[in-house]
Amino acid sequence: NAGVTQTPKFRVLKTGQSMTLLCAQDMNHEYMYWYRQDPGMGLRLIHYSVGEGTTAKGEVPDGYNVSRLKKQNFLLGLESAAPSQTSVYFCASSSIAYNEQFFGPGTRLTVL
Amino acid sequence: AQSVTQPDIHITVSEGASLELRCNYSYGATPYLFWYVQSPGQGLQLLLKYFSGDTLVQGIKGFEAEFKRSQSSFNLRKPSVHWSDAAEYFCAVGVSGNQAGTALIFGKGTTLSVSS
């Protein structure tokens, strides 16, 4: 039982490049989330999903897109990376609303 | 709007001393309350949670937290801190009807340093 996994762990991009971060969970959770963590800012919600095929915007969605084609996977895309998107990205999942969220180990992204 | 405040950005405690990390929230009803810990370079791990019932909640690693409705607080405590407790601690609130739907609202975190 791996819990929540994230791929890749580290990535360096140049401004304007695109990439996709993959989150996978093996707990059969309905809800999945993408956060970004910046120094002094805590965790801020980017997008979330309440089930397969559904996604919604969080607090800071601009510049990101997401997809949830399979229940166990939640993808976060950056179409044209900007230096302001340099951050640590965390994926999380939960079984029901307002309940404990299980976090992945994070992806450290640097945009030059 | 709902919010979570952790007033202390950084706290240093001597090993063996007691610890209290503060958390205040802004919400009309009783929310779901959580404390998470993040070790350097790691993801977040749940320490404890409060949904209802006894307002004193026990968690892992010897931590406890007390919900005080009158003060809108959910402070985290530990009677004797170990060097391995050095980490960043996040308080989080789960509320219904918030703008982000079903997600949690996190405080900005408190960094705990432990001195020998």
Side-chain angles (χ1 to χ4, degrees):
Chain A
N1 191 338
V4 179
T5 58
Q6 293 182 231
T7 308
K9 289 184 169 53
F10 303 93
R11 186 71 186 269
V12 178
L13 291 178
K14 295 181 179 179
T15 297
Q17 287 185 318
S18 63
M19 78 162 295
T20 300
L21 281 65
L22 171 63
C23 175
Q25 53 95 2
D26 60 4
M27 296 174 282
N28 201 35
H29 285 169
E30 291 293 333
Y31 300 85
M32 297 187 75
Y33 314 86
W34 276 107
Y35 294 90
R36 60 178 289 173
Q37 183 180 31
D38 302 290
M41 301 295 291
L43 277 82
R44 293 181 292 170
L45 183 67
I46 305 171
H47 286 279
Y48 66 99
S49 170
V50 300
E52 182 178 327
T54 70
T55 63
K57 295 180 180 180
E59 179 186 357
V60 289
D62 294 341
Y64 305 95
N65 57 75
V66 289
S67 64
R68 182 106 180 264
L69 299 179
K70 294 183 179 180
K71 185 177 183 179
Q72 63 268 34
N73 295 337
F74 195 29
L75 278 62
L76 178 71
L78 287 72
E79 290 186 348
S80 179
S84 61
Q85 294 177 304
T86 294
S87 186
V88 181
Y89 292 86
F90 287 99
C91 176
S93 70
S94 66
S95 57
I96 59 174
Y98 324 124
N99 205 341
E100 173 186 357
Q101 292 185 12
F102 294 82
F103 283 81
T107 295
R108 184 173 295 277
L109 175 66
T110 301
V111 182
L112 302 176
Chain B
Q2 299 92 354
S3 64
V4 178
T5 302
Q6 294 181 245
D8 304 304
I9 297 174
H10 190 191
I11 285 181
T12 298
V13 175
S14 298
E15 190 169 16
S18 63
L19 169 71
E20 182 170 30
L21 302 181
R22 296 182 291 165
C23 173
N24 294 94
Y25 65 89
S26 169
Y27 184 60
T30 301
Y32 299 103
L33 298 161
F34 307 82
W35 274 100
Y36 284 85
V37 61
Q38 183 182 29
S39 298
Q42 303 295 314
L44 279 72
Q45 179 185 22
L46 183 73
L47 284 176
L48 48 78
K49 60 186 178 184
Y50 173 79
F51 283 4
S52 64
D54 193 345
T55 57
L56 185 62
V57 180
Q58 301 298 320
I60 62 171
K61 304 184 180 186
F63 285 92
E64 65 177 26
E66 185 173 12
F67 169 57
K68 292 186 177 180
R69 185 191 307 274
S70 62
Q71 300 177 16
S72 296
S73 69
F74 188 56
N75 294 349
L76 182 71
R77 301 193 295 247
K78 187 170 185 179
S80 178
V81 169
H82 187 261
W83 64 266
S84 60
D85 293 324
E88 190 160 19
Y89 292 80
F90 292 94
C91 180
V93 170
V95 297
S96 62
N98 68 50
Q99 200 167 17
T102 62
L104 302 181
I105 300 172
F106 285 84
K108 294 186 177 181
T110 297
T111 300
L112 172 66
S113 297
V114 180
S115 61
S116 56

